[in-house]
Amino acid sequence: MFSVAKEKIKPIISVIVEEEVLIPDLNHFKEPFLFLEKQDQLFAYVALNKQLVEKLNGSDFSKTVLLENAKSLESICQLSEQISFPALFQIIGEPFSIIKGDDGRPMGYIRREDALAELFKQENKSGDLLKILLTSIPMGIFVLDKEKRIINCNEAGLTMIKSTAEKVLNFPGEKIFSRQHINNVFATGKTFLNHLEISDEMGVLVDYSPIFGYNDEVEGAVIVVQDLPMVEEMAMEIEYIKDLNKDLNAILSSIYDEILVVNAKGELIRYSENIIKDFWQVDLKDLIGKNVLELEDQGLFTPSVTRLVMEKKRKVSVVQETKTGRKILAVGNPVFNEKNELDRIIVASRDITETTRLKTELQEMRKISEQYKKELDDFKSKDRFLKKLIYCSPKMEKIMNQVKKIAEFSSTVLLNGESGVGKEVIAQAIHQLGKRCQKPFLKLNCGAIPENLLESELFGYAKGAFTGADKNGKEGYFKQADGGILLLDEIGEMPMHLQVKLLRVLQEQEVIPVGSTTPIKVNVQIIAATNKKLEKLVEEGAFREDLFYRLNVIPIHIPPLRERTEDISLLAFHFLQQLNEKYDRNYHLTPDAVNVMEFYPWPGNVRELQNIIERLVVTADHPAIDAEFVSQFLSLGFESKKMKPVITRVIPLQEALEHVEEQLIVLAMNQYKTTTKAAKALGISQSSVSRKYQKILTEKNIKLENMPSF
């Protein structure tokens, strides 16, 4: 410890910078330092020189000029009047030190020169400063004068060379160290480092440095010595670091991504060998030490992942876009120090321009694939539906050709035919084969819904339209089928007041829900179906004439099954196959059973045929279903007086008579088994039936066995 003389402590002259700054007359200001004060605390100082004094005294003075030349007091040593030796190391590094009073507030400052002068004056009391400095250094220090003699050294150096002060001090340096290196230092004034010197007494690593005088001449030298164990340890550590650095570089070079290491300020420290081509547009070597945030400001890329990591203090992933349109995936990872402060930012970048392009192309291919799949599904759906259309008769062939043409348009279609002929199937065919196949297909039976509900079902109703209505209202069939097809079955049963509304929908393409006055636009194709003669209903006044003509744009008459006998066997086999697959059976129809079916008039048309086939399957005892078994379920006498034979092509009259006669006799014998009963059913004599039936069997080479005799 040593004390500071009172007269060496200089007064602190400060100015307050929070308000308008009042500068003292600097022309007579003798102190070299002017202190700055804020909130009753010293925070900075200004070292005054001639140029700065002239500027501050001039007319262009401002607080900004003062602050621009200010230096912080954070590194300035603050001492009491009693100074310890360790504080000298801090005093030496700064131009002055602040002296605090007993109350802890600054009472003045002491210049570095004055503090050191005080130390040397009191040296005999407090100790040898130079000796303290030399002792504090862990390496060996030897000081040579101009005559190249050793004039001072520390204990660490003596230990390393295994000698004593008596054998070293005032002896020539070349007695211990290299004469050549000592002479080179004095001759050239250069420093020579890392020279290995080994003898029987020592093994050290030596650095030679010159000491210059005021005239820049070499007036001495400092020799710094490190013993080999320490050097070896340092060398091993350096070698380890080199190996570690080599491994790190190998790892970085093997990584596909570009790796950047940025400090907490955003300055580039190092980078990997893999560099994204045409991204930086400059050599990364030129960016070492520069702030990468400035590159974003220059528009080189955006956004900056470094900036985002600095703001959010967490891992951030962004896609950057360059001026050239390249897309870069950048991932920034923060690295924190032991104080949990941001220390480094590791940025891994990858060029995904090609990946993005391929992804876009893949998405386009997926869209095209989905479109193809959709079209294929449409084709499959149409194909599955067409397989359900079982027919071979010329009449149905003609109708289906007409349906395929109609399906391309949105014209209103009127389907007419007996109940069960397949009007709904034809309507579905128009939907499946047309442009509206992806839109709804709805069916409403006008005769199956009470009249008071039919209007709300068709047109929908508004909120609170009537008691018991849904509080949110309801969309009608027209709105639900928007864009698609609405099948109005049993159109002849529609009440007259609704026919007017339907006519408006057909004319205006809009509906008005019940309880509302606001029309709603719809785009619906109407298919009407009926088993009645609408012309007759119009004559009777039960159907509006104008609506009839609106519906009768494309009329299609579907013939009954008895008028297309060619389809009977196909339909029968189709329905039978469906039931066999459903119930895992193996039933089949014999030729005579099919023959019986073809002669049956089928008043219920296709629906009746389907029901009969199901009844046969459920009740049959044997896989082979013959004519006798079928006849039990067919009312062959049904409207026999009204039903007439159907001829499907023009043939000679006699041939037609013989053909019908043959079929009737075979059918009667298959059903009644005896000529007596068959003759009664046919209305002819028993002998005629017997003679004609034997002729038929003979012509077909069928041997008659076990014929009953009468």
Side-chain angles (χ1 to χ4, degrees):
M1 300 288 289
F2 69 94
S3 59
V4 179
K6 296 285 187 181
E7 62 272 12
K8 295 298 182 180
I9 299 177
K10 305 291 184 180
I12 293 177
I13 299 176
S14 63
V15 294
I16 302 174
V17 297
E18 294 174 311
E19 306 169 352
E20 183 178 354
V21 180
L22 299 176
I23 301 297
D25 185 4
L26 298 178
N27 291 325
H28 303 287
F29 194 75
K30 297 182 179 180
E31 297 298 328
F33 303 108
L34 179 64
F35 293 86
L36 306 183
E37 183 178 341
K38 181 168 61 177
Q39 296 179 354
D40 200 28
Q41 294 287 335
L42 297 178
F43 72 94
Y45 71 95
V46 177
L48 298 176
N49 54 45
K50 184 177 179 181
Q51 293 82 0
L52 181 59
V53 169
E54 291 176 355
K55 193 170 186 179
L56 292 174
N57 285 332
S59 58
D60 59 344
F61 168 74
S62 67
K63 186 193 301 185
T64 305
V65 175
L66 194 63
L67 293 175
E68 285 177 352
N69 291 274
K71 297 181 180 179
S72 175
L73 289 173
E74 290 183 358
S75 61
I76 299 298
C77 180
Q78 297 192 13
L79 309 169
S80 63
E81 294 186 53
Q82 298 294 321
I83 303 176
S84 64
F85 280 106
L88 291 173
F89 292 95
Q90 189 173 5
I91 293 173
I92 292 173
E94 298 296 338
F96 63 87
S97 299
I98 293 176
I99 305 298
K100 296 187 294 185
D102 295 336
D103 58 355
R105 295 181 61 82
M107 59 178 290
Y109 71 92
I110 183 171
R111 297 171 61 178
R112 174 175 56 195
E113 295 82 359
D114 294 335
L116 293 176
E118 285 295 310
L119 174 63
F120 285 113
K121 283 182 181 180
Q122 304 174 35
E123 197 170 44
N124 56 347
K125 300 178 183 179
S126 304
D128 187 346
L129 173 61
L130 185 58
K131 186 175 181 180
I132 293 173
L133 292 174
L134 292 175
T135 304
S136 302
I137 299 174
M139 291 181 291
I141 303 294
F142 295 86
V143 181
L144 276 62
D145 62 8
K146 195 170 184 179
E147 283 72 31
K148 305 175 185 177
R149 291 179 302 152
I150 300 174
I151 59 173
N152 208 337
C153 64
N154 62 358
E155 289 297 329
L158 294 173
T159 302
M160 291 179 190
I161 66 172
K162 298 180 176 60
S163 185
T164 62
E166 292 77 12
K167 295 179 181 180
V168 171
L169 294 178
N170 298 316
F171 284 93
E174 63 184 31
K175 181 181 178 183
I176 303 172
F177 302 104
S178 170
R179 176 192 301 176
Q180 179 183 354
H181 294 323
I182 293 174
N183 292 336
N184 287 339
V185 169
F186 278 90
T188 63
K190 295 181 179 180
T191 298
F192 297 90
L193 305 175
N194 302 326
H195 292 281
L196 187 64
E197 297 185 11
I198 301 175
S199 65
D200 295 337
E201 291 80 17
M202 66 178 186
V204 293
L205 188 67
V206 184
D207 296 336
Y208 298 87
S209 299
I211 299 175
F212 293 97
Y214 291 104
N215 54 1
D216 291 333
E217 293 182 358
V218 178
E219 295 186 350
V222 174
I223 299 177
V224 180
V225 180
Q226 301 177 62
D227 63 350
L228 283 181
M230 181 185 296
V231 173
E232 289 176 358
E233 184 179 345
M234 292 173 60
M236 290 178 63
E237 186 174 351
I238 291 172
E239 194 65 28
Y240 173 75
I241 293 174
K242 285 183 178 179
D243 292 341
L244 192 63
N245 191 48
K246 189 184 297 182
D247 294 342
L248 179 61
N249 288 332
I251 293 171
L252 290 177
S253 62
S254 65
I255 296 176
Y256 174 77
D257 296 343
E258 174 190 272
I259 307 296
L260 305 181
V261 181
V262 181
N263 64 18
K265 297 178 182 179
E267 298 169 344
L268 181 63
I269 299 176
R270 59 181 58 89
Y271 57 90
S272 65
E273 294 180 4
N274 293 325
I275 300 174
I276 299 176
K277 186 179 179 182
D278 301 330
F279 177 66
W280 294 100
Q281 299 180 359
V282 293
D283 193 340
L284 274 180
K285 292 180 180 178
D286 300 334
L287 296 180
I288 294 293
K290 294 184 179 180
N291 199 308
V292 296
L293 300 179
E294 297 175 358
L295 301 177
E296 182 186 23
D297 298 335
Q298 296 172 11
L300 186 62
F301 56 80
T302 183
S304 171
V305 69
T306 302
R307 175 178 54 79
L308 295 175
V309 172
M310 293 171 67
E311 291 174 357
K312 299 181 180 181
K313 300 292 190 299
R314 60 177 175 82
K315 181 180 178 181
V316 176
S317 299
V318 297
V319 176
Q320 299 172 333
E321 187 166 354
T322 67
K323 287 181 178 180
T324 58
R326 301 189 74 82
K327 294 186 182 296
I328 307 298
L329 174 63
V331 181
N333 281 283
V335 178
F336 300 96
N337 58 21
E338 61 276 1
K339 297 180 181 179
N340 203 29
E341 297 172 341
L342 184 64
D343 188 50
R344 294 284 189 272
I345 299 173
I346 311 300
V347 180
S349 303
R350 178 177 296 184
D351 190 346
I352 60 171
T353 306
E354 189 68 18
T355 305
T356 304
R357 184 184 66 81
L358 292 174
K359 183 179 179 181
T360 303
E361 291 182 359
L362 179 60
Q363 290 175 345
E364 292 297 326
M365 291 300 295
R366 282 178 177 172
K367 288 182 181 178
I368 295 173
S369 178
E370 289 175 0
Q371 181 180 350
Y372 287 158
K373 183 177 181 299
K374 181 174 175 295
E375 292 177 358
L376 182 60
D377 290 341
D378 291 343
F379 287 139
K380 287 181 178 179
S381 177
K382 290 179 181 179
D383 184 61
R384 285 194 297 268
F385 179 79
L386 290 174
K387 287 180 179 179
K388 294 180 181 178
L389 296 174
I390 309 300
Y391 64 92
C392 67
S393 61
K395 289 185 177 181
M396 286 304 298
E397 184 70 31
K398 182 179 180 181
I399 290 174
M400 288 309 301
N401 290 335
Q402 189 178 5
V403 164
K404 292 174 183 177
K405 293 179 181 179
I406 295 170
E408 297 297 321
F409 302 91
S410 298
S411 303
T412 304
V413 180
L414 179 61
L415 301 176
N416 181 267
E418 296 179 6
S419 179
V421 293
K423 295 187 289 295
E424 183 178 346
V425 175
I426 298 300
Q428 289 178 341
I430 296 174
H431 175 257
Q432 288 291 323
L433 299 175
K435 297 178 180 179
R436 296 174 180 259
C437 60
Q438 298 301 318
K439 298 297 181 179
F441 175 83
L442 300 181
K443 173 190 174 184
L444 181 67
N445 192 319
C446 300
I449 299 176
E451 183 178 336
N452 58 339
L453 294 179
L454 183 59
E455 182 177 4
S456 62
E457 288 295 319
L458 273 174
F459 306 104
Y461 55 81
K463 179 181 178 181
F466 50 84
T467 304
D470 192 312
K471 62 179 181 179
N472 296 321
K474 180 182 178 182
E475 291 184 345
Y477 272 71
F478 279 107
K479 181 61 178 174
Q480 295 176 42
D482 191 22
I485 292 178
L486 176 60
L487 171 62
L488 297 177
D489 200 7
E490 304 293 346
I491 189 67
E493 303 294 333
M494 179 173 285
M496 290 294 289
H497 73 282
L498 292 185
Q499 293 180 22
V500 178
K501 277 200 166 188
L502 177 59
L503 182 63
R504 175 181 174 81
V505 174
L506 295 174
Q507 290 177 338
E508 307 297 336
Q509 287 291 298
E510 61 183 26
V511 296
I512 300 177
V514 177
S516 174
T517 58
T518 305
I520 300 174
K521 284 289 183 181
V522 292
N523 176 21
V524 180
Q525 181 180 7
I526 301 297
I527 299 179
T530 181
N531 57 4
K532 296 183 178 181
K533 295 288 185 180
L534 291 185
E535 298 93 330
K536 187 176 181 181
L537 293 178
V538 171
E539 292 176 1
E540 295 173 354
F543 200 85
R544 293 183 62 92
E545 184 177 8
D546 49 2
L547 178 58
F548 169 71
Y549 288 116
R550 274 288 178 183
L551 294 175
N552 200 40
V553 177
I554 307 293
I556 297 179
H557 175 71
I558 304 173
L561 193 56
R562 62 181 174 274
E563 295 181 9
R564 46 190 177 103
T565 55
E566 300 93 334
D567 297 335
I568 294 175
S569 59
L570 283 178
L571 289 169
F573 285 124
H574 172 69
F575 295 141
L576 184 62
Q577 182 63 25
Q578 283 185 330
L579 293 170
N580 280 335
E581 292 176 358
K582 182 177 181 180
Y583 298 111
D584 193 23
R585 295 291 189 271
N586 191 27
Y587 292 107
H588 61 275
L589 295 169
T590 62
D592 58 343
V594 174
N595 193 33
V596 170
M597 289 183 177
E598 288 179 344
F599 275 91
Y600 182 66
W602 299 109
N605 293 295
V606 179
R607 186 181 296 119
E608 183 185 6
L609 174 60
Q610 186 175 10
N611 293 340
I612 288 295
I613 295 298
E614 185 170 357
R615 192 182 307 170
L616 292 173
V617 168
V618 172
T619 58
D621 295 326
H622 304 285
I625 300 176
D626 56 14
E628 181 180 1
F629 187 70
V630 172
S631 300
Q632 299 176 18
F633 301 95
L634 300 180
S635 302
L636 295 178
F638 178 78
E639 295 185 347
S640 58
K641 295 181 180 179
K642 297 182 180 179
M643 294 296 179
K644 298 178 181 179
V646 177
I647 305 299
T648 58
R649 56 190 174 86
V650 176
I651 58 176
L653 180 60
Q654 186 59 38
E655 183 181 343
L657 291 173
E658 292 175 356
H659 182 65
V660 171
E661 182 181 68
E662 178 183 334
Q663 290 187 16
L664 286 173
I665 291 174
V666 172
L667 187 62
M669 288 300 296
N670 288 335
Q671 180 177 355
Y672 297 107
K673 305 302 180 183
T674 64
T675 55
T676 303
K677 292 180 179 179
K680 185 177 180 181
L682 293 173
I684 58 177
S685 64
Q686 183 268 336
S687 58
S688 297
V689 171
S690 178
R691 184 180 66 256
K692 292 179 181 295
Y693 188 57
Q694 287 184 1
K695 181 181 178 182
I696 292 170
L697 295 178
T698 302
E699 290 177 354
K700 293 184 178 182
N701 297 320
I702 298 177
K703 184 178 180 180
L704 185 63
E705 293 181 359
N706 301 322
M707 283 289 294
S709 59
F710 298 94

